[in-house]
Amino acid sequence: MASSTATRDLDAVVIGAGFAGLYMNYRLRETLGMTTQVYEAGDGVGGTWYWNRYPGARCDSESYMYCFSFDEQLMQEWEWSGKYPEQPEILRYLNHVADRFDLRRNIQFNTRVTAAHFDERGNRWEIETDQGDRVTAKFLVTAIGCLSSGQIPDIPGRDAFRGESYHTGAWPHDGVDFTGKRVGVIGTGSSGVQSIPVIAKQAQHLHVFQRTAQYTIPARHGTVDKAFLDEVKKDYDAIYEKARWSTGGLPYAPVERSALAVSDEERLRVYEDAWQQGGFKFLFASFFDIGIDRRANDTASEFIRSKIREIVKDPEVAEKLVPVDHPFASKRPLIDTNYFDTYNRDNVTLVDIRHAPIQEITPTGIRTEDGHYELDIIVFATGFDAMTGTFNRIDIQGRDGARLRDKWAGGPLTYLGLASAGFPNLFMITGPGSPSVLSNMPVSIEQHVEWVSGAIEHLRSQGLDVMEAEERAEQEWVAHVNEVAEQTMFMLADSWYLGANIPGKPRVFMPYPGGVGAYREKCNEVTEAGYEGFTLRGAEVPVTG
Ligand code: NA7
């Protein structure tokens, strides 16, 4: 970092103003009374929900669970309109939270943190932004999201296209008018599966360029059942508490039956019932072993395949849509509304780019090995450099000038996804190595924010200044994450969980797949043991936790 002409010395800097950054700001400023500066790249709060404004964008967690639980009144007052929260409504919710707790006054928008270097002499982070800010802070908290660095594949001719092109994760605020347009969507992950049915209704013709066929479960989205919501609100704390100790951060009762221990008829009945309920319940409320036993998984995968063949009328198109190269839930499970049905429309064509890959983007469309498709608009629903991409875009240097991106060159190394050895007083909200993307995010975010504010409070109460993950604890945690991942379906697909969507990215499973309940227990044990695995020290004297 250039010569130290920092203008402001703060207690804490938070990067990002999505769910995580907003709540971290609240805890640091209001609970701990610290001078805090939040930097946010967008011109408003919302994070993921600020950027991902593509048609059909919504969350796959049911709305009553996709919110904060830290304030009883906030929980009671907010009314969701749909079973699943749609992007505009989530953004309204987060703006409401920002207003309600007056959180904007120390957020600087339109500002990206470009560098953060730890100065060992003063035990402070020196932080720079693209707007020329230079500040120092005792604590640095990354609330940068797990899916915030969009990736547009490096297809030859990419910049030659003369029509309009958009990435789903950087969607224009005024929307895109597809009326009368020939549209191509590349990608059939969550963003593709959500947007394709909506775009199809507007476009003159839609070509979907599919590399990997997907399993997706109907959402059964609709207006929210008011009577159900009223019941939830009577018992909200208990419901949320159940989610905190669950696997995925949702309050569904754990199932104990195995898909292999029931008759064929019973299994079909359970799947059919779960399919009708829709959403993540198909995974969490059918059989416990779908995610961990290949033979159990085969029964679920086969059930979904049969549904695809039933829904899609043209058998040739149906076969292209049937996933055969990976088991269900080895990639992020998808939740859709009318996705497979969309391929019954006359104005929708599925282009199988697994067998005839894209060769180039031309000024007027996309050329694959079997032809040229004339297009007016290309939508890149091609995903993100997940979990580590946004860290790598910031020049983070810890002790001895060591760079985080160098340390993570072979895959992210963290202790609990909260901290990384060599980077004192840097805390990560839902960092790699924590349940994060495998969970209902607000539940994981609240747990992390509260853990971090508890740790900072502990330091303060002990008259200590610095907290740093120990290398041994970090190595053991990373080994544990891998060991748990090996027992799941996750290792059997090329997914962004493994970094497989980014050419050259090391193939390492990044989130913690042991469940939010087990993870919370581990974090609590660490705290109760005096922050075991962390070194806590004052300006000079180390205290090993
Ligand atoms: P995803 O889930 O990473 O999906 C990206 C899609 O784009 C997926 O179908 C990819 O195919 C496809 N893709 C990526 N690169 C290419 C290239 N080079 N050529 C053709 N097709 C490509 O991103 P989403 O935005 O949909 O979802 C991200 C998460 O947001 C989601 O999981 C939720 O957690 C919310 P592939 O499957 O790799 O063959």
Side-chain angles (χ1 to χ4, degrees), residues 147 151 153 168 186-192 211-212 214 331-332 353-354 381-384 496 501:
L147 295 154
Q151 76 112 9
T168 49
I186 305 178
T188 52
S190 274
S191 307
R211 186 164 71 179
T212 306
Q214 294 273 15
K331 281 171 171 274
R332 159 68 149 78
I353 55 169
R354 169 76 69 204
T382 44
F384 300 86
W496 56 258
N501 62 327

Side-chain angles (χ1 to χ4, degrees), residues 288-324:
F288 82 89
D289 44 2
I290 292 176
I292 49 172
D293 184 302
R294 186 63 198 257
R295 284 181 312 140
N297 184 287
D298 282 345
T299 66
S301 300
E302 201 43 46
F303 178 84
I304 301 170
R305 292 184 195 119
S306 72
K307 285 292 181 192
I308 300 171
R309 293 184 177 113
E310 210 174 285
I311 299 168
V312 180
K313 298 206 175 94
D314 180 332
E316 243 178 73
V317 177
E319 282 321 303
K320 285 183 190 164
L321 287 164
V322 166
V324 287

Side-chain angles (χ1 to χ4, degrees), residues 340-390:
F340 292 121
D341 247 339
T342 297
Y343 294 94
N344 293 328
R345 295 176 66 102
D346 292 340
N347 71 332
V348 176
T349 306
L350 180 67
V351 184
D352 177 358
I353 55 169
R354 169 76 69 204
H355 293 105
I358 294 178
Q359 288 177 325
E360 60 169 340
I361 294 180
T362 69
T364 57
I366 294 178
R367 187 184 312 286
T368 72
E369 276 179 14
D370 64 6
H372 184 265
Y373 300 86
E374 294 281 328
L375 302 169
D376 302 306
I377 301 179
I378 298 177
V379 173
F380 290 95
T382 44
F384 300 86
D385 185 352
M387 311 215 59
T388 53
T390 310

